[in-house]
Amino acid sequence: MAFLIDGKKISAQIKDEVKETAAKLKQKGVEPALAVIQVGADPASSVYVRNKKKACEYTGIRSVSYELPEETTEAELLDLIARLNADTSVHGILVQLPVPDQINEKKVIEAISPEKDVDGFHPMSVGALVTGEDGFMPCTPAGIIQLLKRSNIDIDGRRCVVVGRSNIVGKPMAILLLRENGTVTICHSHTKDLKEICKEADILVAAIGKPKFFNHEYIKEGAAIIDVGIHRLGGKKLCGDVDRDDVMDIAGAITPVPGGVGPMTVAMLMVNCVEAAQKQTGVKAAE
């Protein structure tokens, strides 16, 4: 029976660590602050934004909220980002994606100062990630690395298979596993022999957006499975990309959905915020 990797518990530990760091920074006159911008009222986006605000409140990070109407123009949004870039009291800027059709998502991401890019989506952040330079890591992949490390799952020398090649999860996930000395294969919709490749994985990261796609035929005995997917099937309870019930007797460890990867994304955003505050002010909590 697979060990359940408790993302809620691990994310709570990380948020407590951030809370301690934020408190030390405040004692030194620095209050970490995150600006959260939402354009329109997409229900899923509203849930994510609410979770981020709650996490800010818990960890002691000041949250500055901008809820803009659906008809907001690209120029108006870019102007707000420029003002926040120049505001030294704001250390992180997050634009909740997706944005409405009249706004170019790429332009928005590139408009955020790399120093305040706590999502880790700016091309300069991505470049730093690839070359191993100092920069912000995308929150979901960074959270997955913490899930593995804090669950004592060794990455060094292991066969790691990432299924999915998105800019937000798949690609950066592969790079971070490589950084930890994993031997990494990236699979996608054009991959031949997907089952055979997945069955070689000591660590399998499932991020393709297809509910219950991965069953026991894809899983190596004792493998650690990270399920990034989240779906609601026919109004029923949530599920991931992995058919958890079907793989529980084969896998060594697995993240549940919900309560696995999701909470880690928000926790790592908080980590990036306090890191941004320290970098921009030159004040270190630990000193």
Side-chain angles (χ1 to χ4, degrees):
M1 183 66 77
F3 162 72
L4 276 182
I5 300 171
D6 192 341
K8 284 184 181 176
K9 182 181 174 184
I10 295 170
S11 68
Q13 291 168 356
I14 291 171
K15 283 189 283 190
D16 283 341
E17 291 162 13
V18 170
K19 188 176 186 177
E20 193 177 321
T21 303
K24 286 178 181 174
L25 287 171
K26 281 182 190 172
Q27 287 171 2
K28 298 182 178 186
V30 173
E31 183 182 28
L34 171 68
V36 180
I37 304 169
Q38 181 181 1
V39 185
D42 176 74
S45 291
S46 297
V47 170
Y48 293 137
V49 167
R50 204 157 51 240
N51 288 342
K52 287 162 187 174
K53 287 179 187 171
K54 275 187 196 168
C56 283
E57 191 178 340
Y58 179 79
T59 54
I61 293 170
R62 183 168 65 91
S63 174
V64 189
S65 183
Y66 295 89
E67 287 159 9
L68 308 179
E70 184 83 25
E71 60 273 15
T72 298
T73 66
E74 184 180 283
E76 287 169 334
L77 178 56
L78 293 176
D79 179 62
L80 172 58
I81 291 169
R83 282 186 277 124
L84 291 170
N85 281 338
D87 186 344
T88 55
S89 72
V90 170
H91 306 105
I93 302 170
L94 182 151
V95 178
Q96 184 63 45
L97 301 177
V99 287
D101 292 343
Q102 73 271 19
I103 298 170
N104 184 315
E105 193 173 285
K106 185 172 180 285
K107 279 189 187 174
V108 170
I109 290 168
E110 291 178 357
I112 297 169
S113 165
E115 289 185 340
K116 300 188 179 188
D117 172 38
V118 286
D119 257 336
F121 294 164
H122 191 283
M124 283 185 68
S125 302
V126 177
L129 179 72
V130 173
T131 56
E133 302 296 318
D134 189 34
F136 294 113
M137 291 188 277
C139 300
T140 301
I144 289 168
I145 294 294
Q146 287 299 314
L147 281 178
L148 292 167
K149 286 186 169 181
R150 293 178 187 236
S151 301
N152 298 314
I153 295 168
D154 196 19
I155 304 169
D156 196 318
R158 298 298 175 92
R159 291 293 303 270
C160 306
V161 174
V162 179
V163 190
R165 54 177 167 178
S166 72
N167 290 335
I168 293 173
V169 179
K171 290 176 188 173
M173 186 74 253
I175 294 163
L176 287 180
L177 288 166
L178 194 58
R179 265 198 196 183
E180 299 294 331
N181 299 315
T183 300
V184 184
T185 302
I186 306 174
C187 298
H188 44 78
S189 57
H190 291 246
T191 299
K192 305 288 190 289
D193 304 321
L194 181 61
K195 281 184 185 176
E196 286 73 13
I197 295 169
C198 290
K199 283 205 82 145
E200 293 178 358
D202 301 305
I203 297 169
L204 176 67
V205 180
I208 60 168
K210 292 185 178 181
K212 297 189 177 184
F213 179 86
F214 297 91
N215 60 24
H216 68 275
E217 295 176 10
Y218 289 82
I219 310 303
K220 178 182 179 179
E221 185 83 33
I225 304 171
I226 305 294
D227 191 348
V228 184
I230 186 156
H231 315 275
R232 192 180 294 279
L233 292 179
K236 296 177 184 174
K237 64 180 184 178
L238 294 170
C239 71
D241 286 356
V242 179
D243 188 343
R244 193 172 89 192
D245 293 339
D246 194 56
V247 305
M248 281 296 284
D249 290 337
I250 301 170
I254 189 168
T255 57
V257 177
V261 173
M264 296 299 295
T265 301
V266 178
M268 298 314 291
L269 175 66
M270 300 299 106
V271 170
N272 282 353
C273 285
V274 292
E275 186 63 31
Q278 291 178 93
K279 284 177 179 175
Q280 286 162 46
T281 60
V283 177
K284 301 292 180 190
E287 290 174 357

